[in-house]
Amino acid sequence: MHHRFSRREFLVAGGMAAAVSISRDALATPPANVVLPEVSSQASDKAAQHIVDMHVHFDEKNPNFVGDLVKVCERLNMTACVLTPFSNRKVIADAAKQYPARIVPFGFVDLDAPDVVKQVEELHTLNYRGLGELEFVKKPFTDPSYMPVYELANRYGWVVLFHTGIVLRKKFDEPEDVASYRMRAFHLEEIARRFPKITVLGAHCGNPEYEWAAEVARWNPNVFFDLSGSTLLKMHARLSEFRNIFWWSSTGWGSKAPEGDPGAFVKLVFGSDTGLDGIEGVLNQYRALFEACDVPANTQRLILGGTLAKILGLPE
Ligand SMILES: [Zn+2]
């Protein structure tokens, strides 16, 4: 395998096996020995579909990250929302100006930083379109101390990507002030309702609390989730179970949805959360889910790019 390890990943030496990369959510990138199902029926319209990937972390370790990313975007007809550490903000602001159809800048800020509000204001002046991935928080996402950031995001009409669910442990033998419960999917409900101009995106669909994630998305038109991380790998032999979680298609129990789509799966968006060489693999995982759950073609189009293209004002 020739997976490039990004800053956010770390290495697990796997005995005689090749190295396996693990993302925050554990196993976002399918290991090389996992055979992903081929979904050949989708192959013909791959070229036509405009993909919007909500979950591309800026890779500080790759000096040619922008060039490499643009190549992948051209090949997949994709726009990448690049989750950019504040210290790298200028590089991606410039890249977004140069490649507006391929790169959308998102600010990866620390909600507990004392100057986070100032950082967010500066990102706005640099034409950033949102924040994310917000994670490793010291308090639950709904803590009052985070409200000034959400108020700004609401004023800007931004898209904000929150990590939800289980989170990786960076160091196994040192104390860490990190806990998944602070990032449970149901916290997004309060943020979405108090700040209706924010498009609230939850990464990883609350893994493993998919039901909470889906129900919060069902009642809140401004909430969507991506299925990046280990979920589609963990569930690969039982993907049809997602029909029980996204259950309300055509029942009248949904809320306002993009293009009035009555399908429950329209509450998903595409996010890869992987190295640049893993994005296509995650696309195939999404397509396997579509097949297992009979997701209609138009809903697939909205999930893979249509919904976010509209929200971000991108050409479809
Ligand atoms: Zn995450």
Side-chain angles (χ1 to χ4, degrees):
M1 72 188 288
H2 52 91
H3 180 76
R4 186 183 304 112
F5 296 103
S6 70
R7 183 192 51 72
R8 75 207 148 75
E9 293 169 323
F10 69 102
L11 205 60
V12 173
M16 63 181 177
V20 172
S21 76
I22 305 213
S23 92
R24 291 187 168 83
D25 179 41
L27 285 178
T29 306
N33 59 344
V34 171
V35 179
L36 294 168
E38 284 291 327
V39 186
S40 52
S41 60
Q42 304 293 333
S44 56
D45 52 22
K46 267 184 198 168
Q49 168 77 52
H50 176 212
I51 309 288
V52 179
D53 187 341
M54 186 53 228
H55 203 138
V56 178
H57 286 276
F58 180 81
D59 182 358
E60 288 166 301
K61 284 193 183 148
N62 177 3
N64 195 35
F65 173 75
V66 170
D68 290 348
L69 173 62
V70 169
K71 261 186 232 156
V72 171
C73 287
E74 296 291 343
R75 186 162 56 80
L76 299 177
N77 188 21
M78 189 177 96
T79 303
C81 299
V82 180
L83 312 173
T84 311
F86 188 71
S87 55
N88 302 103
R89 62 198 178 280
K90 297 235 164 74
V91 180
I92 292 301
D94 291 345
K97 246 182 238 163
Q98 199 180 344
Y99 306 103
R102 297 302 179 205
I103 293 176
V104 182
F106 276 70
F108 177 22
V109 296
D110 174 2
L111 279 179
D112 294 290
D115 62 341
V116 64
V117 167
K118 273 187 72 181
Q119 291 185 16
V120 170
E121 285 167 341
E122 185 179 336
L123 291 168
H124 184 249
T125 64
L126 289 170
N127 295 319
Y128 271 64
R129 304 296 309 278
L131 298 175
E133 180 183 12
L134 303 181
E135 59 184 345
F136 297 120
V137 277
K138 298 280 187 288
K139 291 156 281 186
F141 279 141
T142 48
D143 192 85
S145 65
Y146 301 148
M147 295 301 149
V149 170
Y150 304 149
E151 273 160 24
L152 272 183
N154 192 57
R155 194 187 310 159
Y156 301 151
W158 269 0
V159 176
V160 181
L161 177 69
F162 295 83
H163 173 94
T164 62
I166 191 71
V167 74
L168 70 73
R169 183 163 170 184
K170 282 182 186 159
K171 296 167 188 161
F172 295 130
D173 45 11
E174 284 175 40
E176 275 188 337
D177 186 6
V178 175
S180 307
Y181 81 89
R182 302 169 187 163
M183 299 178 277
R184 291 176 77 176
F186 66 61
H187 291 306
L188 304 194
E189 176 189 60
E190 181 180 347
I191 297 164
R193 292 182 187 203
R194 292 180 65 177
F195 304 101
K197 289 185 185 145
I198 300 180
T199 299
V200 176
L201 301 188
H204 324 302
C205 204
N207 180 23
E209 297 182 322
Y210 311 116
E211 285 203 80
W212 262 114
E215 294 296 330
V216 168
R218 181 166 71 85
W219 273 117
N220 295 284
N222 55 331
V223 175
F224 299 86
F225 284 89
D226 81 29
L227 265 172
S228 65
S230 54
T231 291
L232 292 175
L233 176 61
K234 171 173 65 176
M235 308 274 287
H236 80 277
R238 49 190 175 108
L239 288 172
S240 61
E241 287 178 22
F242 276 102
R243 291 172 191 256
N244 302 328
I245 294 158
F246 292 89
W247 57 270
W248 60 91
S249 297
S250 302
T251 62
W253 278 96
S255 57
K256 203 172 125 218
E259 298 185 5
D261 190 307
F265 285 95
V266 77
K267 300 305 306 198
L268 292 174
V269 293
F270 179 65
S272 65
D273 190 21
T274 184
L276 296 181
D277 53 359
I279 294 173
E280 214 168 351
V282 181
L283 266 174
N284 285 334
Q285 289 181 319
Y286 267 73
R287 289 185 165 119
L289 173 78
F290 297 159
E291 180 139 293
C293 297
D294 281 329
V295 178
N298 193 54
T299 311
Q300 294 184 27
R301 181 182 62 78
L302 292 168
I303 294 169
L304 291 180
T307 296
L308 284 170
K310 181 95 184 285
I311 289 168
L312 293 167
L314 304 169
E316 274 211 52

